[in-house]
């Protein structure tokens, strides 16, 4: 498993950053700010940024600035700030390429049952974060994790990101966190994606960012090992997932409250 800075065993860790890498200056500014906050609060931190967004609703949706260019920015974040980085991969042939630049390979929720993708990711030797499909029960994620382990890699994390509720909403079943922890892997709660409202008639996913604090507090209270929070300086102009992102200037206040909750339930 990756080494995390400021890693008190009884604290949660944080995966946070923009949804997709929009440019170097933006990524570096966000990373610098989050590193300062998490160092102060002693929260282990992983910088998150997709080098490309493949699962978009419309053909004209922003997908990225170029794979290699974005991956080099992720590498620069890691080298500059000394924090691990995570990015999504979407096909088996992307695994080896992305692994050269980042510490954690993330399997998107829609692809969590893709055997060839999981095996290719596993063979890189990187930590693999598998996001639970919106269509799967928590206990079914044992099989996704098993594919990685049976391919020779025990460095697995699982992420709860909500379950499809009707056509245009998601709900979080917090029972799933301890259920997936029973497999023996760290379990992360993806706060911001759990608040998406997919399948909008505009072709652009909606969200409920006003509930980020509520969902995050509940996740920490039930013992999630980590949180996943997408953040941006101005979500209104973010090129992906702006509807459910946390404004960067609100992150410190939220994390401060969450640390207090974790302290209270020790």
């Amino acid at each position: 498993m990756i080494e995390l800075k400021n890693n008190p065993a009884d604290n949660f860790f944080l995966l946070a950053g923009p949804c997709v890498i929009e440019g170097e200056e933006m990524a570096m500014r966000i990373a610098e700010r989050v590193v300062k906050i998490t160092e102060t609060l002693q929260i282990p931190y992983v910088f998150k940024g997709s080098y490309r967004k493949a699962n978009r609703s419309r053909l004209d949706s922003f997908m990225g600035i170029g794979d290699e260019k974005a991956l080099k920015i992720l590498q620069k974040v890691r080298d500059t700030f000394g924090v691990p980085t995570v990015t999504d991969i979407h096909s088996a042939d992307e695994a080896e390429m992305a692994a050269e630049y980042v510490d954690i390979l993330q399997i998107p929720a829609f692809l969590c049952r893709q055997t060839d993708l999981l095996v290719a990711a596993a063979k890189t030797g990187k930590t693999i974060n598998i996001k639970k499909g919106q269509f799967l029960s928590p206990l079914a994620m044992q099989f996704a994790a098993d594919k990685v382990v049976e391919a020779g890699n025990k460095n697995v994390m699982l992420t709860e990101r909500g379950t499809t509720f009707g056509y245009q909403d998601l709900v979080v079943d917090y029972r799933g966190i301890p259920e997936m922890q029973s497999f023996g892997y760290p379990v992360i709660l993806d706060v911001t994606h759990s608040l998406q409202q997919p399948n909008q008639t505009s072709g652009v996913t909606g969200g409920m960012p006003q509930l980020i604090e509520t969902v995050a507090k509940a996740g920490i209270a039930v013992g999630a090992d980590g949180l996943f929070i997408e953040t941006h300086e101005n979500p209104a102009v973010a090129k992906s997932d702006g509807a459910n992102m946390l404004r960067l200037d609100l992150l410190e206040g939220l994390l401060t409250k969450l640390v207090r909750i974790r302290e209270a339930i020790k």
Side-chain angles (χ1 to χ4, degrees), residues 156-250:
V156 175
M157 303 191 298
L158 301 175
T159 293
E160 166 63 46
R161 56 94 70 235
T163 299
T164 299
F165 184 70
Y167 287 118
Q168 294 179 314
D169 209 354
L170 300 168
V171 293
V172 178
D173 180 354
Y174 290 93
R175 296 174 300 178
I177 293 174
E179 285 179 337
M180 290 192 288
Q181 285 172 329
S182 71
F183 307 154
Y185 310 116
V187 174
I188 301 157
L189 172 61
D190 183 342
V191 177
T192 47
H193 283 103
S194 294
L195 290 167
Q196 285 182 331
Q197 293 180 307
N199 302 320
Q200 299 298 306
T201 55
S202 64
V204 178
T205 297
M208 294 185 291
Q210 70 273 19
L211 294 178
I212 288 173
E213 182 171 321
T214 300
V215 171
K217 285 178 175 177
I220 294 300
V222 300
D225 298 293
L227 295 181
F228 182 114
I229 298 176
E230 288 189 330
T231 185
H232 195 282
E233 295 161 316
N234 183 3
V237 301
K239 295 183 178 180
S240 177
D241 281 2
N244 50 274
M245 277 185 172
L246 180 69
R247 240 180 38 234
L248 183 58
D249 62 356
L250 299 177

Side-chain angles (χ1 to χ4, degrees), residues 36-51:
K36 287 179 180 177
I37 294 169
T38 53
E39 285 184 345
T40 299
L41 295 174
Q42 291 191 290
I43 298 171
Y45 175 49
V46 178
F47 179 86
K48 185 271 171 184
S50 296
Y51 68 89

